[in-house]
């Protein structure tokens, strides 16, 4: 994975509120503790590894949709795998700044309301939802949207926090407080599969069992 430089992230962060910076995990990517900084990037590296494995031939018109794209740290790697990227987020300030700074072509930025009408049904090869679904209190409407956007052969890539003891310890060490997630990796995975998505792959970071802080999962819609 080609990481966004700390200098660029710091410039982008200046235009955001403290809450938005935290939501986009920018403090984690820039953390002074190297172990915490590694963990923040590692979850995205696993997502990128999945994207690289799913890569379609460039020039085929392939589309990846980054739902909850935040600052856009996945854009550059996603564009190396797919022809076009659609970034969707409530706050697009940081993503716009990153696209401009890196002069990224073939990236479209939309709010969720705009994506509802602008993204055609069965037009997306991969939907990425990295560290976002834990903030959604009613998942079925969002999952319905993903199903409608995806092509029949498409994939859904999701990364989520486990919310276990080790995860909570890491949050405290990183200086974050409070609990604002509606659910965790295991419960969201159960909801996604109960909805009808088929899970193909589960990666636990940094290790399985009680050492797992994040889950990265790949799904398809069986229809």
């Amino acid at each position: 994975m080609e990481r966004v430089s700390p200098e660029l992230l710091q410039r982008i962060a200046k235009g955001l509120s403290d809450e938005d910076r935290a939501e986009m995990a920018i403090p984690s990517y820039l953390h002074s503790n190297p172990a915490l900084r590694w963990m923040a990037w590692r979850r995205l590296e696993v997502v990128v590894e999945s994207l690289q494995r799913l890569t379609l031939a460039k020039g085929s018109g392939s589309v990846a949709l980054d739902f909850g794209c935040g600052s856009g740290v996945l854009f550059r790697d996603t564009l190396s795998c797919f022809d076009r990227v659609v970034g969707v987020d409530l706050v697009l300030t940081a993503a716009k700044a990153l696209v401009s700074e890196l002069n990224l072509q073939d990236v479209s930025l939309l709010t969720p309301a705009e994506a509802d009408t602008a993204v055609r049904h069965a037009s997306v090869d991969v939907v990425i939802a990295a560290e976002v679904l834990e903030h959604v209190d009613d998942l079925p409407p969002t999952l319905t949207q993903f199903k409608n956007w995806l092509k029949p052969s498409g994939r859904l890539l999701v990364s989520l926090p486990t919310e276990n003891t080790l995860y909570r310890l890491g949050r405290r060490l990183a200086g974050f407080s409070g609990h604002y997630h509606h659910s965790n990796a295991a419960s969201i995975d159960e909801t996604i599969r109960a909805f009808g998505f088929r899970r193909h792959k589960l990666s636990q970071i940094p290790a399985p069992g009680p050492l797992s802080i994040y889950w990265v999962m790949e799904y398809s819609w069986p229809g």
Side-chain angles (χ1 to χ4, degrees), residues 1 24-26 28-29 38-48 74 130-131 134 159-161 167 205 214-216:
M1 177 181 182
M24 295 178 188
I26 292 176
S28 298
Y29 301 139
W38 176 85
M39 184 61 63
W41 286 105
R42 179 57 187 157
R43 60 193 178 187
L44 297 184
E45 289 172 350
V46 174
V47 172
V48 170
L74 283 172
E131 308 302 308
E134 67 270 27
S159 70
L160 294 162
Y167 173 83
I205 305 168
Y214 295 101
W215 287 11
V216 177

Side-chain angles (χ1 to χ4, degrees), residues 1-3 48 51-52 73-82:
M1 177 181 182
E2 189 174 0
R3 296 184 183 182
V48 170
L51 287 172
Q52 292 170 340
V73 291
L74 283 172
F75 287 168
R76 186 159 47 185
D77 287 281
T78 306
L79 276 175
S80 71
C81 302
F82 298 88

Side-chain angles (χ1 to χ4, degrees), residues 166-206:
L166 189 57
Y167 173 83
R168 293 195 297 270
L169 174 61
R171 279 182 60 85
R172 288 199 297 272
L173 291 174
F176 301 129
S177 60
H179 180 89
Y180 55 92
H181 297 158
H182 293 288
S183 43
N184 57 35
S187 65
I188 293 174
D189 172 55
E190 183 178 354
T191 299
I192 293 172
R193 288 188 289 146
F195 183 84
F197 280 93
R198 179 184 300 141
R199 193 180 74 195
H200 295 271
K201 186 175 177 59
L202 165 63
S203 301
Q204 296 176 302
I205 305 168

Side-chain angles (χ1 to χ4, degrees), residues 203-220:
S203 301
Q204 296 176 302
I205 305 168
L211 296 179
S212 176
I213 295 177
Y214 295 101
W215 287 11
V216 177
M217 292 158 286
E218 177 188 329
Y219 305 88
S220 68

